[in-house]
Each structure stands twice: as C-alpha cells, then as structure tokens.
Amino acid sequence: MVALVYSLLALVLAGAQAFQPDRLDLQLEQIVEKFTEEMKALKQEIEDMKMAHAPASSRLIGNEPKRDVELTGQTETSACTLGLRGPPGRDGRDGAPGRDGAAGRDGQPGPQGPIGPMGDIGPEGPAGEKGETGADGNAGGSVYIRWGRTTCPNDTDTSLIYDGIAGGSHFTHSGGGANYVCLPKAPEWGVFTDGNQGTGSYMQGAEYQLSSANNPFQSASGHNHDVPCAVCHVASRGSKLMIPARLSCPSGWTREYKGYLMAAYRTQYRSEFVCMDGEPETRPGGHLDSDGALFYPVEANCGSLPCPNYVQGRELTCVVCTK
C-alpha cells in the first residue's frame, strides 16, 4: 500500500514537470485537487481493508458494523508521511507585457519661469522693397522780400506777412549794415534812450535814385521817393531764389515777381544787390530828398563781364523764383 502511495506521488510530480511554466498556476491547482480526491479514496480504501481483517467481535457494535474505526499509530504515521509537501517547482517565465494604459489627463500649467538672457543680435536682413512715393509736402515754405511793393503776388499762392519801409545804412557811412532791410511800419520798443548818443550805427530810410537818363521803370519816375517793401510767405514751396539778369524762372520753378537789379552807387559804401519790383510803388508822403540808404539801377560793365552776351551800360533785370 505504501508503494502505491509513492507511485501515485511520483505520478503527480511527473505530471507537474510536464506542464508548461506559463500555465503552472492553473495546472498546480488542478493537480492539488486531484491529489486530494485520491487521498480521500485511499483513506477510505484503508478503512475498508481494516474492517475486512478485524475480528468479528470488533466489527459489530450493537448489531451494527463499526464503520468509524480509528487508524493505528503506525498507519497514521504512514498517512502523514504520504501527505508531505513536495519540493518547490522552478520559477515560471515572465509573462508577456500588458497593454499600455489609457493616457492620463493633462496636468495644471506650472508657474512661469524666469526670463532668460537676451540673445545675440542677428545679422541685418536684406533691404525691403521701396515704398510708394508720398505726396509732395510743403517743406516748411519759404519767405522773401518783395522790394518796391506793399503787397504779395496774388496768383502764386503767397500770403503777406507784413508790409513795411525799406531801410539801411546812410550812403556816406562806412560802418553799419551793408544789407537793406524791410522795416515794419509799427515798431515795438524795449529799453531805450531818446536822442542820438553817437555811439552806435544808424538805420536810415531808403530812397529811389532814378535819373531821366537811365530810369528802367516806365510807369513813374519815383526819384527821391521812399521805397516800400512787403515780406511774403509761400507755404507750398520751400526754396527761394533771386536770379539777376533774368526775367523768367527755370523749369519747375514758380515766378513770384520780376524787376530790375538795384544797389548803392558805385562810389558809395557797399550795400547788397536786391531785386526791385518792375512796377514799384512809393511810400505816401515820402517824396522829399532826405537821402539815407539809396537804391540805384545796376548797369552791365564789360571787361571781366563777358560781352556778348552782356551789353555795356544796359540796366540788369532780375526775377524771384520759388519751388
């Protein structure tokens, strides 16, 4: 009987070794269940054998067969020996990796990090396309003096700043200013001392000096009359030009007025050349011969001045142009 138990145990172990490692858990469970059933059957068979070999007196208890018979000590020991746990099996192989889990939800944005250092300046890129040309501006405008008139041209988009009286240094004074100025009719005073102190220069009024021999102004003689002037502003043209010996302006320029070139007499102290309007006015009441700053016509004098095209003794014209 003991040999039968050992044979059964060997059969179980051999069966366990034949199973695949990846199915070991399920197979071991089935083996244990089967072994338990076999042990129960073996135990029942041993009890039946004991009952069959026991004396008749011991097999009956009160006219009933005694079925619940205790195992002897030797038999119990043998049974316990048969029920010992076998040696542990080898570790099974690792199972196949499981499938990836579902993606988790996005986390909350973290705090903003510190601003990094400024990088190096990159190379200059290529020049872009040229834009469209804008509308012509007024370039701040220009200002000029119209000598011999109290108004500005009304056909050249020009406005009057003020009209005044032409002035300059006395023709006999070597000092003072060399230029003519357009004095306003209503002066404004600061700190002053009345009376001539003889310690400075003098501002004189200006007069036309026109003889009958070379008066280029045909409308009136104007000799010894005071010279008026007008300061004009051109808002739409920023450049101004006075051209001597011309009556017309270059292409693209606007003629403000034309006239004759005038300056101080050749033996007097020098002044400047200005363009006197070709139709001069005179200051009312200023016809007395008071002298002061004087305007004489300017004549061409051949020599270093090429003749032709210039002609000896002719009065020179002039024109004032803006653009």
Side-chain angles (χ1 to χ4, degrees), residues 79-117:
C80 291
T81 302
L82 291 175
L84 293 175
R85 184 186 298 272
R90 293 178 298 176
D91 293 341
R93 294 185 298 178
D94 294 339
R99 293 180 299 175
D100 293 340
R105 294 180 299 176
D106 293 341
Q108 297 295 327
Q112 182 177 353
I115 299 175

Short mmCIF file of all heavy atoms in Angstrom, two decimals, residues 79-117:
data_model
loop_
_atom_site.label_atom_id
_atom_site.label_comp_id
_atom_site.label_asym_id
_atom_site.label_seq_id
_atom_site.Cartn_x
_atom_site.Cartn_y
_atom_site.Cartn_z
N ALA A 79 0.28 7.62 6.84
CA ALA A 79 -0.56 8.57 6.10
C ALA A 79 -0.01 9.98 6.12
O ALA A 79 -0.01 10.70 5.13
CB ALA A 79 -1.98 8.55 6.66
N CYS A 80 0.47 10.39 7.29
CA CYS A 80 1.06 11.73 7.38
C CYS A 80 2.30 11.84 6.52
O CYS A 80 2.58 12.87 5.93
CB CYS A 80 1.39 12.07 8.83
SG CYS A 80 -0.07 12.30 9.86
N THR A 81 3.07 10.78 6.46
CA THR A 81 4.29 10.82 5.64
C THR A 81 3.94 11.00 4.18
O THR A 81 4.58 11.73 3.44
CB THR A 81 5.09 9.54 5.83
OG1 THR A 81 5.41 9.42 7.20
CG2 THR A 81 6.37 9.58 4.99
N LEU A 82 2.85 10.36 3.76
CA LEU A 82 2.45 10.49 2.37
C LEU A 82 1.96 11.90 2.05
O LEU A 82 1.98 12.33 0.91
CB LEU A 82 1.33 9.49 2.05
CG LEU A 82 1.75 8.02 2.06
CD1 LEU A 82 0.54 7.12 1.87
CD2 LEU A 82 2.78 7.75 0.99
N GLY A 83 1.48 12.65 3.00
CA GLY A 83 0.93 13.99 2.74
C GLY A 83 1.94 15.12 2.80
O GLY A 83 1.55 16.27 2.79
N LEU A 84 3.27 14.87 2.89
CA LEU A 84 4.26 15.95 2.97
C LEU A 84 4.31 16.73 1.66
O LEU A 84 4.10 16.17 0.58
CB LEU A 84 5.64 15.41 3.28
CG LEU A 84 5.80 14.79 4.68
CD1 LEU A 84 7.18 14.19 4.83
CD2 LEU A 84 5.56 15.85 5.74
N ARG A 85 4.58 18.03 1.79
CA ARG A 85 4.68 18.92 0.63
C ARG A 85 5.92 18.57 -0.18
O ARG A 85 6.99 18.33 0.37
CB ARG A 85 4.75 20.37 1.07
CG ARG A 85 4.77 21.38 -0.10
CD ARG A 85 4.98 22.78 0.43
NE ARG A 85 3.91 23.17 1.31
CZ ARG A 85 2.79 23.75 0.89
NH1 ARG A 85 2.61 23.97 -0.39
NH2 ARG A 85 1.85 24.08 1.75
N GLY A 86 5.77 18.51 -1.49
CA GLY A 86 6.88 18.22 -2.37
C GLY A 86 7.81 19.42 -2.52
O GLY A 86 7.52 20.53 -2.04
N PRO A 87 8.93 19.22 -3.16
CA PRO A 87 9.88 20.33 -3.34
C PRO A 87 9.27 21.41 -4.23
O PRO A 87 8.48 21.12 -5.11
CB PRO A 87 11.07 19.66 -4.02
CG PRO A 87 10.51 18.47 -4.69
CD PRO A 87 9.40 17.97 -3.82
N PRO A 88 9.61 22.69 -3.99
CA PRO A 88 9.05 23.78 -4.82
C PRO A 88 9.51 23.65 -6.26
O PRO A 88 10.63 23.23 -6.55
CB PRO A 88 9.60 25.05 -4.18
CG PRO A 88 10.83 24.62 -3.46
CD PRO A 88 10.57 23.21 -2.99
N GLY A 89 8.62 24.01 -7.18
CA GLY A 89 8.95 23.98 -8.60
C GLY A 89 9.79 25.18 -9.02
O GLY A 89 9.99 26.13 -8.26
N ARG A 90 10.27 25.13 -10.18
CA ARG A 90 11.09 26.23 -10.70
C ARG A 90 10.22 27.47 -10.96
O ARG A 90 9.03 27.34 -11.25
CB ARG A 90 11.76 25.82 -12.00
CG ARG A 90 12.82 24.71 -11.81
CD ARG A 90 13.41 24.32 -13.14
NE ARG A 90 12.38 23.78 -14.02
CZ ARG A 90 12.60 23.43 -15.28
NH1 ARG A 90 13.80 23.59 -15.79
NH2 ARG A 90 11.63 22.93 -16.02
N ASP A 91 10.86 28.62 -10.89
CA ASP A 91 10.12 29.86 -11.20
C ASP A 91 9.66 29.86 -12.63
O ASP A 91 10.39 29.43 -13.55
CB ASP A 91 11.00 31.09 -10.97
CG ASP A 91 11.33 31.27 -9.50
OD1 ASP A 91 10.61 30.69 -8.68
OD2 ASP A 91 12.31 32.00 -9.20
N GLY A 92 8.46 30.29 -12.84
CA GLY A 92 7.94 30.38 -14.21
C GLY A 92 8.55 31.54 -14.98
O GLY A 92 9.17 32.44 -14.41
N ARG A 93 8.39 31.50 -16.27
CA ARG A 93 8.89 32.59 -17.12
C ARG A 93 8.04 33.84 -16.94
O ARG A 93 6.86 33.76 -16.59
CB ARG A 93 8.88 32.17 -18.58
CG ARG A 93 9.86 31.04 -18.89
CD ARG A 93 9.88 30.75 -20.38
NE ARG A 93 8.58 30.32 -20.84
CZ ARG A 93 8.32 30.04 -22.12
NH1 ARG A 93 9.29 30.16 -23.03
NH2 ARG A 93 7.11 29.65 -22.49
N ASP A 94 8.68 35.00 -17.24
CA ASP A 94 7.94 36.26 -17.15
C ASP A 94 6.80 36.27 -18.16
O ASP A 94 6.94 35.78 -19.30
CB ASP A 94 8.86 37.46 -17.44
CG ASP A 94 9.92 37.61 -16.36
OD1 ASP A 94 9.70 37.08 -15.26
OD2 ASP A 94 10.95 38.26 -16.64
N GLY A 95 5.69 36.80 -17.73
CA GLY A 95 4.56 36.91 -18.64
C GLY A 95 4.76 37.99 -19.70
O GLY A 95 5.68 38.81 -19.61
N ALA A 96 3.93 37.96 -20.71
CA ALA A 96 4.00 38.97 -21.77
C ALA A 96 3.64 40.36 -21.22
O ALA A 96 2.80 40.47 -20.32
CB ALA A 96 3.06 38.60 -22.91
N PRO A 97 4.30 41.43 -21.73
CA PRO A 97 3.95 42.78 -21.24
C PRO A 97 2.48 43.10 -21.48
O PRO A 97 1.90 42.73 -22.50
CB PRO A 97 4.85 43.70 -22.07
CG PRO A 97 5.95 42.82 -22.58
CD PRO A 97 5.36 41.46 -22.74
N GLY A 98 1.88 43.74 -20.52
CA GLY A 98 0.49 44.16 -20.67
C GLY A 98 0.33 45.33 -21.63
O GLY A 98 1.31 45.97 -22.03
N ARG A 99 -0.86 45.61 -22.03
CA ARG A 99 -1.12 46.73 -22.94
C ARG A 99 -0.92 48.07 -22.23
O ARG A 99 -1.08 48.17 -21.02
CB ARG A 99 -2.55 46.65 -23.46
CG ARG A 99 -2.80 45.45 -24.37
CD ARG A 99 -4.23 45.44 -24.84
NE ARG A 99 -5.16 45.34 -23.72
CZ ARG A 99 -6.48 45.39 -23.85
NH1 ARG A 99 -7.01 45.56 -25.05
NH2 ARG A 99 -7.26 45.29 -22.79
N ASP A 100 -0.56 49.09 -23.02
CA ASP A 100 -0.39 50.43 -22.44
C ASP A 100 -1.72 50.91 -21.87
O ASP A 100 -2.80 50.70 -22.45
CB ASP A 100 0.06 51.42 -23.51
CG ASP A 100 1.47 51.08 -24.00
OD1 ASP A 100 2.19 50.37 -23.27
OD2 ASP A 100 1.83 51.54 -25.11
N GLY A 101 -1.62 51.55 -20.74
CA GLY A 101 -2.82 52.10 -20.12
C GLY A 101 -3.30 53.35 -20.86
O GLY A 101 -2.60 53.93 -21.70
N ALA A 102 -4.49 53.77 -20.54
CA ALA A 102 -5.05 54.98 -21.17
C ALA A 102 -4.26 56.21 -20.72
O ALA A 102 -3.75 56.27 -19.60
CB ALA A 102 -6.52 55.11 -20.79
N ALA A 103 -4.15 57.19 -21.63
CA ALA A 103 -3.42 58.43 -21.31
C ALA A 103 -4.12 59.18 -20.18
O ALA A 103 -5.35 59.27 -20.14
CB ALA A 103 -3.34 59.32 -22.55
N GLY A 104 -3.30 59.71 -19.29
CA GLY A 104 -3.87 60.46 -18.18
C GLY A 104 -4.28 61.85 -18.59
O GLY A 104 -3.97 62.33 -19.69
N ARG A 105 -5.00 62.53 -17.77
CA ARG A 105 -5.44 63.90 -18.06
C ARG A 105 -4.27 64.87 -17.96
O ARG A 105 -3.32 64.63 -17.22
CB ARG A 105 -6.53 64.32 -17.09
CG ARG A 105 -7.82 63.54 -17.22
CD ARG A 105 -8.86 64.03 -16.22
NE ARG A 105 -8.40 63.85 -14.85
CZ ARG A 105 -9.08 64.26 -13.78
NH1 ARG A 105 -10.23 64.89 -13.95
NH2 ARG A 105 -8.61 64.05 -12.58
N ASP A 106 -4.35 65.97 -18.74
CA ASP A 106 -3.30 66.99 -18.69
C ASP A 106 -3.25 67.61 -17.30
O ASP A 106 -4.28 67.90 -16.68
CB ASP A 106 -3.58 68.09 -19.72
CG ASP A 106 -3.46 67.56 -21.15
OD1 ASP A 106 -2.82 66.50 -21.31
OD2 ASP A 106 -4.01 68.19 -22.07
N GLY A 107 -2.02 67.83 -16.86
CA GLY A 107 -1.85 68.46 -15.56
C GLY A 107 -2.07 69.97 -15.63
O GLY A 107 -2.18 70.56 -16.70
N GLN A 108 -2.12 70.59 -14.47
CA GLN A 108 -2.27 72.05 -14.40
C GLN A 108 -0.97 72.72 -14.84
O GLN A 108 0.12 72.21 -14.57
CB GLN A 108 -2.61 72.49 -12.97
CG GLN A 108 -3.94 71.96 -12.49
CD GLN A 108 -5.09 72.54 -13.29
OE1 GLN A 108 -5.04 73.68 -13.73
NE2 GLN A 108 -6.13 71.73 -13.47
N PRO A 109 -1.04 73.87 -15.59
CA PRO A 109 0.19 74.55 -16.01
C PRO A 109 0.99 75.02 -14.80
O PRO A 109 0.44 75.51 -13.82
CB PRO A 109 -0.32 75.73 -16.84
CG PRO A 109 -1.74 75.93 -16.42
CD PRO A 109 -2.26 74.57 -16.04
N GLY A 110 2.29 74.86 -14.90
CA GLY A 110 3.17 75.28 -13.81
C GLY A 110 3.42 76.77 -13.84
O GLY A 110 3.00 77.48 -14.75
N PRO A 111 4.10 77.29 -12.86
CA PRO A 111 4.39 78.73 -12.81
C PRO A 111 5.38 79.12 -13.91
O PRO A 111 6.19 78.31 -14.37
CB PRO A 111 5.02 78.93 -11.42
CG PRO A 111 5.57 77.58 -11.07
CD PRO A 111 4.65 76.57 -11.69
N GLN A 112 5.29 80.37 -14.37
CA GLN A 112 6.17 80.85 -15.42
C GLN A 112 7.60 80.95 -14.90
O GLN A 112 7.86 81.42 -13.80
CB GLN A 112 5.70 82.22 -15.91
CG GLN A 112 6.55 82.78 -17.06
CD GLN A 112 6.00 84.10 -17.55
OE1 GLN A 112 4.93 84.50 -17.13
NE2 GLN A 112 6.71 84.76 -18.44
N GLY A 113 8.52 80.48 -15.73
CA GLY A 113 9.92 80.53 -15.34
C GLY A 113 10.50 81.93 -15.52
O GLY A 113 9.87 82.82 -16.10
N PRO A 114 11.70 82.15 -15.03
CA PRO A 114 12.33 83.47 -15.15
C PRO A 114 12.69 83.77 -16.61
O PRO A 114 12.88 82.86 -17.42
CB PRO A 114 13.59 83.35 -14.28
CG PRO A 114 13.89 81.88 -14.29
CD PRO A 114 12.56 81.18 -14.32
N ILE A 115 12.76 85.06 -16.95
CA ILE A 115 13.12 85.49 -18.30
C ILE A 115 14.59 85.16 -18.55
O ILE A 115 15.46 85.46 -17.73
CB ILE A 115 12.87 86.99 -18.49
CG1 ILE A 115 11.38 87.30 -18.29
CG2 ILE A 115 13.31 87.46 -19.87
CD1 ILE A 115 11.06 88.77 -18.34
N GLY A 116 14.85 84.53 -19.65
CA GLY A 116 16.21 84.16 -19.98
C GLY A 116 17.02 85.35 -20.46
O GLY A 116 16.49 86.42 -20.73
N PRO A 117 18.32 85.18 -20.56
CA PRO A 117 19.18 86.28 -21.02
C PRO A 117 18.92 86.60 -22.49
O PRO A 117 18.49 85.74 -23.26
CB PRO A 117 20.60 85.73 -20.81
CG PRO A 117 20.44 84.25 -20.86
CD PRO A 117 19.09 83.96 -20.27
#
